[in-house]
Amino acid sequence: MKRRDFLLASGSVLPALAITRAMAESGHVHHNQGEPSASVRDPQGYRPVHTPNGWTLPHRLVDGVKEFHLVAEEIEHEFAPGSRAKCWGYNGTSPGPTLEAVEGDRVRIYVSNRLPEHTSIHWHGLILPSGMDGVSGLTQPAIQPGETFVYEFTLQQHGTHMYHPHADEMVQLAMGMMGLFIIHPKDGEPEPIARDYAILLHNWAMHPGTSRPDPAVMVEFDLWTMNSKVFPAIDTLVAASGERVRIRLGNLSMWNHPIHLHGVQFQVTGSDGGRWPREQWRSEVTEIIGVGQMRDIEFVGVPGDWAFHCHMSHHTMNPMGHDLPNTLGVNQDGVEEKIRTLLPGYMAMGKHGMGEHQDHTDSGHMTGPPNTLPMMMGKGPFGNIEMGGMFTVVKVRDGLAAGDFRDPGWYRHPEGEVARRVSADPDYGQPARRGKLAGPKSETLPVPKRQGHQH
């Protein structure tokens, strides 16, 4: 039996009751407290970036040079309540702290290595001297365990950038080593930004029942994250009605991500190359963020709770089985009793879709392996949201104070503005229809054999 076939049989694609309880006991599914100081402009004139679930690294000014200190080290990271892992990051977190500076600044960045192996840091997309580019073996010696190196250069551009290792990259990126480097324009913004968010997209191979990411996986990932969190542990993005909001997105995963925002047509306004000239802006509702790319999107807040997510449907799910037999429409009467003689606790599922998984687990019918997140999580004001992974909510409210990043709770829809039931009769109305409906004779249609599941 394949590993992922066993996952279905053991019920590990289902959420564990303990995880459900942990989320319920935490109160509202989104509990970000925000950073009140984020509304205060820096003395250099820019509005600081807000990194959901993250933080900004303080610096000190030494003889006109901004000094930062990064520490590469093993950390204990929580993807969401119920799943913790030993990962690698910077200064205690994954992603590492966001670095912020201004075009024209001279920066000095110390990097201490507390990992069990050598490392380096590449400043992704930055224009700088070759010897500061951070490619181990090519532009510098590797930073050995216990050593501290220093990088120093003048920022020649503005825009949304990243930092990550260029040493044993497959392992170190897979383990969570990454961070954001935001460089603000020295001449200010042509259109002022009221709220400026920054998010790194990533993927993790956290196999069910394990506690370390698997760096050897190249395709079948288990967790898809925004700033190393999965829904519903990802902070909500908050704004006041009418505020201009920017979301900076960087992709250090191994897949491209079509990021979709409900409720508005946003403008794509920038990238690693900085904020584009106005004539290059374009209106979209979904923007593909390619591997290694950065994109800035901007919009004016409209009241409501708006989903914000990757549009690859399996990227908005948590650990789930791959290469499993398709059980849609399969008569599973009596299957549970027979299989339970071999696998106690087995539950046959999937005849009518996956939506029943969260209901079954919330009721305590099944548990999954320890330290494994549910496939579907999160409850909203109208029931299960049935999401995970790269999904969060943009919450826009009238009268929200500048710099208030606290979660305002669920949106109260004006009367008459919520979709409602008008009938429980499946034969309601006289809708126009074409084609042939499935019926008893449809069971005689040929069923193609899938490789690996032929009998």
Side-chain angles (χ1 to χ4, degrees):
M1 179 180 286
K2 293 183 179 179
R3 179 183 70 86
R4 293 191 179 273
D5 290 343
F6 177 74
L7 296 186
L8 179 66
S10 65
S12 61
V13 295
L14 299 179
L17 178 61
I19 298 171
T20 303
R21 286 174 177 165
M23 296 306 299
E25 290 168 1
S26 68
H28 195 270
V29 291
H30 299 296
H31 47 79
N32 43 303
Q33 297 301 308
E35 300 173 6
S37 62
S39 64
V40 179
R41 288 191 177 274
D42 184 88
Q44 288 181 278
Y46 65 85
R47 188 177 298 281
V49 159
H50 185 87
T51 307
N53 299 103
W55 59 297
T56 298
L57 186 65
H59 68 269
R60 63 177 186 170
L61 199 61
V62 179
D63 298 327
V65 179
K66 286 186 176 178
E67 286 190 351
F68 300 86
H69 193 161
L70 290 170
V71 181
E73 55 193 351
E74 188 171 65
I75 63 172
E76 184 178 305
H77 177 72
E78 182 181 75
F79 294 100
S83 178
R84 303 181 74 87
K86 288 184 178 179
C87 300
W88 293 359
Y90 297 99
N91 299 60
T93 63
S94 174
T98 298
L99 307 183
E100 282 192 87
V102 175
E103 181 182 13
D105 283 348
R106 182 80 174 173
V107 296
R108 182 179 298 129
I109 307 170
Y110 293 96
V111 179
S112 297
N113 184 9
R114 293 173 55 88
L115 296 173
E117 70 165 357
H118 63 274
T119 190
S120 71
I121 293 192
H122 168 59
W123 315 101
H124 188 103
L126 267 62
I127 300 170
L128 37 59
S130 175
M132 296 293 169
D133 194 43
V135 182
S136 175
L138 176 66
T139 65
Q140 68 165 83
I143 309 173
Q144 298 297 329
E147 293 183 339
T148 296
F149 273 43
V150 65
Y151 298 83
E152 185 169 339
F153 45 88
T154 299
L155 302 177
Q156 302 181 40
Q157 73 224 81
H158 66 273
T160 305
H161 306 277
M162 304 181 284
Y163 63 87
H164 62 80
H166 236 299
D168 195 9
E169 189 171 345
M170 185 182 80
V171 169
Q172 295 186 13
L173 276 175
M175 292 292 288
M177 297 184 68
M178 53 190 169
L180 288 152
F181 198 151
I182 309 301
I183 307 174
H184 298 276
K186 61 183 177 182
D187 297 326
E189 306 274 12
E191 290 191 38
I193 300 295
R195 295 181 191 248
D196 201 353
Y197 291 98
I199 293 173
L200 270 178
L201 309 174
H202 198 43
N203 49 220
W204 307 74
M206 275 290 297
H207 306 314
T210 65
S211 59
R212 285 185 188 270
D214 181 356
V217 170
M218 292 177 282
V219 178
E220 294 184 358
F221 296 99
D222 299 289
L223 297 178
W224 305 88
T225 59
M226 291 180 173
N227 288 343
S228 299
K229 296 285 188 179
V230 298
F231 179 79
I234 300 171
D235 283 350
T236 52
L237 308 187
V238 178
S241 305
E243 282 187 326
R244 188 168 189 86
V245 180
R246 172 166 54 204
I247 305 177
R248 305 170 185 259
L249 295 155
N251 182 1
L252 276 176
S253 75
M254 294 178 70
W255 284 83
N256 300 328
H257 298 291
I259 299 297
H260 176 53
L261 173 61
H262 295 207
V264 296
Q265 286 185 333
F266 56 75
Q267 293 171 307
V268 186
T269 62
S271 65
D272 310 57
R275 207 178 197 196
W276 300 337
R278 181 62 188 262
E279 58 270 19
Q280 293 182 10
W281 295 6
R282 51 188 168 80
S283 295
E284 301 284 357
V285 297
T286 303
E287 175 70 4
I288 294 180
I289 319 296
V291 175
Q293 285 187 332
M294 318 292 295
R295 286 292 182 270
D296 297 346
I297 66 172
E298 299 179 27
F299 60 94
V300 175
V302 178
D305 287 345
W306 306 109
F308 180 61
H309 60 96
C310 178
H311 219 287
M312 285 191 165
S313 57
H314 63 292
H315 293 185
T316 55
M317 307 290 274
N318 292 326
M320 56 189 297
H322 297 243
D323 297 327
L324 297 171
N326 182 2
T327 56
L328 283 175
V330 175
N331 185 344
Q332 300 185 50
D333 292 342
V335 170
E336 289 181 341
E337 291 75 11
K338 292 179 180 179
I339 295 182
R340 280 176 186 163
T341 62
L342 299 174
L343 292 174
Y346 170 85
M347 178 179 290
M349 298 191 69
K351 178 180 179 180
H352 302 299
M354 296 292 186
E356 58 193 3
H357 283 198
Q358 187 171 345
D359 283 335
H360 278 292
T361 309
D362 287 354
S363 348
H365 289 171
M366 284 195 88
T367 60
N371 202 41
T372 303
L373 286 174
M375 184 176 71
M376 299 174 177
M377 296 174 72
K379 291 183 179 296
F382 301 103
N384 295 338
I385 297 179
E386 298 178 349
M387 289 289 176
M390 286 183 183
F391 181 97
T392 189
V393 181
V394 174
K395 296 189 174 184
V396 182
R397 301 290 186 271
D398 293 339
L400 199 65
D404 185 355
F405 288 85
R406 293 171 298 177
D407 192 304
W410 298 114
Y411 183 62
R412 296 187 178 183
H413 301 269
E415 187 176 354
E417 293 189 6
V418 176
R420 66 194 188 283
R421 182 173 65 187
V422 295
S423 173
D425 179 2
D427 295 321
Y428 171 78
Q430 296 179 326
R433 299 153 90 178
R434 294 186 179 183
K436 185 176 181 180
L437 298 181
K441 292 185 178 180
S442 300
E443 300 299 327
T444 62
L445 293 174
V447 179
K449 298 292 185 181
R450 290 180 57 189
Q451 185 175 0
H453 296 293
Q454 297 181 8
H455 300 285

